[in-house]
Amino acid sequence: MKIVFLGTTGYYPTEKRHTCCVIIKDLNIILDAGSGFFRFPKFISSYEIHIFLSHYHLDHICGLTQLLGLFKGKEVEIYGWKLERSKKFPIFNQPYFSIPISQHPFNIKIREIREESFYIKNAKITSKLFTRHTFPVLAYKIEADKKVTYITDIQVGEDEIDFAKDSDLLIHECYYLNEFKERAKREMHSTTIEVANLAKKANCKKLALYHLNPSLEERYPDFEKEAKYIFPNAFIPDECVEIEI
């Protein structure tokens, strides 16, 4: 499986990093559509695109406003929890967007999912709903020749262990250093130590620290150091660099 991180921070982009977006090249899958979404045509040229949304906070969906320029002539399917039908999806309507989605030059399908499993090509997609955030969040597990688990915007909990078990790559939000654990609990986010312990308990092979706190960007080396102390194969991914698992 070939993975490219197009955005790795939460909340807002910085000069160095964009907000949440990951692609699985082999399967034409895009996980979340934050500000890094505009970069995907460099890595996916397929006619058919699948976009999986974890939830609808703006740092995860703001890139969808770029659909007109990026998806001309393509088949697009967007998956999410309680995802409103395209004609009602607020981001595609006035006053937020000037062109009705029905006038876009591509075919778009909206698929509402909760907790289920289905296949895209030869890959099994499993979704699980977590409610330890300010809005319910869908996590995704993609299994083909390898297993990738994607969990963001959540407080770490024991119920994640089975879902992430034996992942070749666990992509997990890591918004705070351990010294901010009380703040993380109040804001319903995760810390380095919590995420590293989860990866260890779930017997994951690699852990990508994701949805990082942009206000702590100068301390990202400390994020890696804390996580690696417990789980040595933890790392902060570079953006726009293809990795193979």
Side-chain angles (χ1 to χ4, degrees), residues 184-202:
K185 188 180 298 184
R186 290 195 304 272
E187 297 180 5
M188 305 185 85
H189 281 296
S190 297
T191 68
T192 50
I193 301 300
E194 293 170 333
V195 174
N197 275 317
L198 169 65
K200 184 176 181 179
K201 291 177 182 178

Side-chain angles (χ1 to χ4, degrees), residues 142-197:
I142 300 99
E143 300 173 86
D145 56 324
K146 301 286 186 177
K147 182 190 292 188
V148 174
T149 302
Y150 180 86
I151 307 174
T152 187
D153 287 57
I154 187 175
Q155 275 184 296
V156 169
E158 293 293 311
D159 54 349
E160 293 178 71
I161 296 173
D162 186 61
F163 189 70
K165 190 173 180 59
D166 297 327
S167 294
D168 293 282
L169 175 64
L170 171 61
I171 302 169
H172 201 290
E173 89 126 68
C174 187
Y175 203 67
Y176 282 111
L177 291 160
N178 191 56
E179 66 192 74
F180 299 107
K181 60 184 178 182
E182 293 304 318
R183 183 174 177 180
K185 188 180 298 184
R186 290 195 304 272
E187 297 180 5
M188 305 185 85
H189 281 296
S190 297
T191 68
T192 50
I193 301 300
E194 293 170 333
V195 174
N197 275 317

Side-chain angles (χ1 to χ4, degrees), residues 36 40 43 59 61 83 91 95 97 125 134 171 192 194 201 208 223:
F40 93 84
F43 303 97
D59 53 336
I61 66 165
L83 186 59
I91 200 170
F97 203 61
I125 314 296
T134 54
I171 302 169
T192 50
E194 293 170 333
K201 291 177 182 178
F223 277 70

Side-chain angles (χ1 to χ4, degrees), residues 10-223:
Y11 192 15
Y12 60 85
T14 70
E15 292 290 339
K16 298 177 181 178
R17 292 179 180 268
H18 277 278
T19 65
C20 300
C21 190
V22 181
I23 62 175
I24 302 178
K25 288 184 62 177
D26 321 59
L27 303 171
N28 306 321
I29 285 175
I30 303 177
L31 300 167
D32 277 329
S35 63
F37 183 74
F38 76 96
R39 295 164 156 173
F40 93 84
K42 297 179 182 178
F43 303 97
I44 296 181
S45 57
S46 173
Y47 171 73
E48 184 180 293
I49 306 292
H50 303 273
I51 303 171
F52 290 85
L53 301 177
S54 60
H55 63 302
Y56 312 125
H57 289 165
L58 286 175
D59 53 336
H60 296 260
I61 66 165
C62 62
L64 291 177
T65 59
Q66 303 156 20
L67 284 173
L68 178 60
L70 298 178
F71 282 139
K72 185 175 181 179
K74 295 185 181 295
E75 292 277 351
V76 182
E77 190 156 10
I78 302 177
Y79 306 75
W81 180 71
K82 287 191 175 180
L83 186 59
E84 295 177 303
R85 299 301 174 184
S86 57
K87 64 181 181 180
K88 296 180 179 180
F89 199 35
I91 200 170
F92 293 126
N93 286 295
Q94 295 281 10
Y96 308 109
F97 203 61
S98 60
I99 304 172
I101 198 167
S102 60
Q103 296 179 18
H104 280 46
F106 55 81
N107 296 319
I108 185 167
K109 298 177 183 178
I110 304 295
R111 179 167 173 175
E112 298 181 4
I113 58 176
R114 188 182 172 97
E115 294 186 329
E116 54 191 274
S117 294
F118 53 93
Y119 283 84
I120 294 177
K121 295 183 178 179
N122 64 330
K124 183 181 179 181
I125 314 296
T126 304
S127 57
K128 182 173 177 60
L129 189 69
F130 292 100
T131 57
R132 293 188 302 278
H133 192 50
T134 54
F135 188 87
V137 173
L138 276 177
Y140 296 103
K141 180 165 53 180
I142 300 99
E143 300 173 86
D145 56 324
K146 301 286 186 177
K147 182 190 292 188
V148 174
T149 302
Y150 180 86
I151 307 174
T152 187
D153 287 57
I154 187 175
Q155 275 184 296
V156 169
E158 293 293 311
D159 54 349
E160 293 178 71
I161 296 173
D162 186 61
F163 189 70
K165 190 173 180 59
D166 297 327
S167 294
D168 293 282
L169 175 64
L170 171 61
I171 302 169
H172 201 290
E173 89 126 68
C174 187
Y175 203 67
Y176 282 111
L177 291 160
N178 191 56
E179 66 192 74
F180 299 107
K181 60 184 178 182
E182 293 304 318
R183 183 174 177 180
K185 188 180 298 184
R186 290 195 304 272
E187 297 180 5
M188 305 185 85
H189 281 296
S190 297
T191 68
T192 50
I193 301 300
E194 293 170 333
V195 174
N197 275 317
L198 169 65
K200 184 176 181 179
K201 291 177 182 178
N203 194 39
C204 299
K205 291 182 180 177
K206 292 183 180 180
L207 167 65
L209 306 178
Y210 182 72
H211 193 273
L212 301 160
N213 189 331
S215 68
L216 296 174
E217 189 170 52
E218 297 303 315
R219 298 193 64 188
Y220 286 173
D222 295 331
F223 277 70

